Structures are given as structure tokens and as C-alpha cells.
Amino acid sequence: MVHPPVHTPHEVLPARDRDAEITGWALAAGLGDERAAERFVDATYDDVRRFVAHLTADARGAEDLAQETYLRALPSLRRFAGRSCARSWLLAIARRVVVDRYRRASARPRIADTADWLGAADRAQPRQLPGFEESVALADALRALEPGRRRAFVLTCVMGLSYAEAAQVLDCPVGTIRSRVARARRDLAEIWRGPAADGGRAPLPAAA
């Protein structure tokens, strides 16, 4: 079992430097460095848990999905060549874990309450997840977005991935990510146009 990290104060690095550091730990872990493996998990665990919770709308079940992600990822580190950022590589595995979980569930119709498990997960947006501190209003607005736009927006504008990294996670062209993020920002502006008249509009997150 992978233990959730116990955070300790550390120097905050720029995103690019931090990703390079994480990728370095992943490469070292692939060569058998156990301490590097621990640092890799510690640096990425919150992102994985938050990402799967967003996809499944199940904050409590996210812990199990995060565990499953690392059970798949850690043995595969020896094949990770560092041609991409290790964090985006890991989130791509997390996405496959979620897809596989819903495919298994959809194969058991006696306990399924909907025929479209994955679609239901993509359309649902949980409230008050770690990292979604902007407000409940932002969570509600994200829930209203088309699923593809929401995923692209969350990966880039909330989790801080580059367009290229988000494209790798979602297995689509970079141009598609750019288009989805632009449309998501436009949709959010439309959603918040009403509250703005009452002075209640929350600011848009910074562009990726």
C-alpha cells in the first residue's frame, strides 16, 4: 500500500523546475532508488487524488483510486524514459484507472444505477474538494461545463499542467486542449455574467 504523504515545509520551486525535479525522482526510482520513489509519491499524491476525485465525483473513493494508480505506476517506472513530464505520465495512468473502474462497474448491470457510468462521472463535479478553494461557486460553474472542456480547464488552469501535458493526459492534440480551454473560459464568463450584476462574481483563474 502506498501511504499518503506527510507534508513538511520545503522550498517552493517554479512549476517547470518542480516538474523537472519530479521527473528526476521518477527516473531514479525506476533504477531502484527507494528514497526517490518516496519523494515521487510525496510530490504527486495530492494531484492524483484530486484528479481522480474530480473525474469520479467521489471524494471518499478517490483514496482507493489513487492507491490503484500508484500500484500500476510504480512497477512501470523502470520503463519510464523521461521523454515527457513524469507528473503528466502519472495522471494519464490515473485517468485509465478511472476509466477501467467504470468499465468494470458497467459490466455489472445488477448493481448499476445508470447505463452510462463514465458519462455520469464526467458530468458530475464534487463540491469542496481539496484544491478547489476558489469557492463553491467555481465548483458549480465547473459542473456546468461540457465534460471535455472541464477536464482541459481543470488540468491547465487549476492543476497547472501545460497544454502539451494536458494533451498527453487526455490523449488528444494540443490544439484541441487550447480550443477547449478557450471555450471553457468563455463558458465560465457567461455563467458568471449574472452574478456579476450583483457584485458576486468570482475572478477567473489565471490563464495557463
Side-chain angles (χ1 to χ4, degrees):
M1 174 179 289
V2 175
H3 296 287
V6 177
H7 295 292
T8 56
H10 58 78
E11 181 183 1
V12 177
L13 299 175
R16 181 169 298 182
D17 292 343
R18 184 63 172 165
D19 279 341
E21 186 176 47
I22 290 171
T23 299
W25 288 331
L27 290 169
L31 296 174
D33 187 331
E34 294 184 1
R35 178 56 180 157
E38 292 175 2
R39 289 179 172 177
F40 173 69
V41 172
D42 182 73
T44 58
Y45 196 91
D46 286 346
D47 278 345
V48 170
R49 182 176 54 192
R50 185 169 57 200
F51 183 52
V52 298
H54 168 76
L55 290 181
T56 61
D58 181 6
R60 289 178 296 181
E63 202 73 43
D64 289 340
L65 289 167
Q67 292 284 329
E68 187 173 343
T69 297
Y70 285 100
L71 288 176
R72 292 191 192 186
L74 292 178
S76 299
L77 282 173
R78 62 181 180 273
R79 298 192 298 274
F80 175 67
R83 288 187 290 269
S84 62
C85 169
R87 186 164 63 122
S88 58
W89 171 82
L90 181 63
L91 291 176
I93 293 176
R95 180 175 178 270
R96 289 196 293 271
V97 166
V98 172
V99 169
D100 289 347
R101 173 69 62 90
Y102 280 101
R103 283 175 176 166
R104 289 196 299 268
S106 67
R108 300 193 294 271
R110 287 177 298 176
I111 63 171
D113 58 2
T114 176
D116 184 13
W117 284 74
L118 187 55
D122 279 343
R123 286 189 296 271
Q125 168 60 40
R127 296 169 179 259
Q128 299 173 339
L129 288 179
F132 286 81
E133 295 89 354
E134 284 83 356
S135 72
V136 173
L138 175 58
D140 286 341
L142 289 173
R143 180 170 56 183
L145 293 178
E146 184 274 330
R149 296 176 189 180
R150 184 173 68 244
R151 287 193 295 266
F153 183 88
V154 168
L155 284 172
T156 57
C157 297
V158 177
M159 299 184 69
L161 269 65
S162 68
Y163 289 123
E165 291 166 342
Q168 180 184 6
V169 171
L170 298 179
D171 192 24
C172 66
V174 173
T176 299
I177 295 296
R178 292 184 184 278
S179 175
R180 288 177 179 175
V181 170
R183 291 175 180 176
R185 292 181 65 83
R186 182 192 64 198
D187 292 346
L188 288 172
E190 290 291 331
I191 290 168
W192 286 330
R193 183 167 295 172
D198 300 326
R201 176 177 172 177
L204 280 172

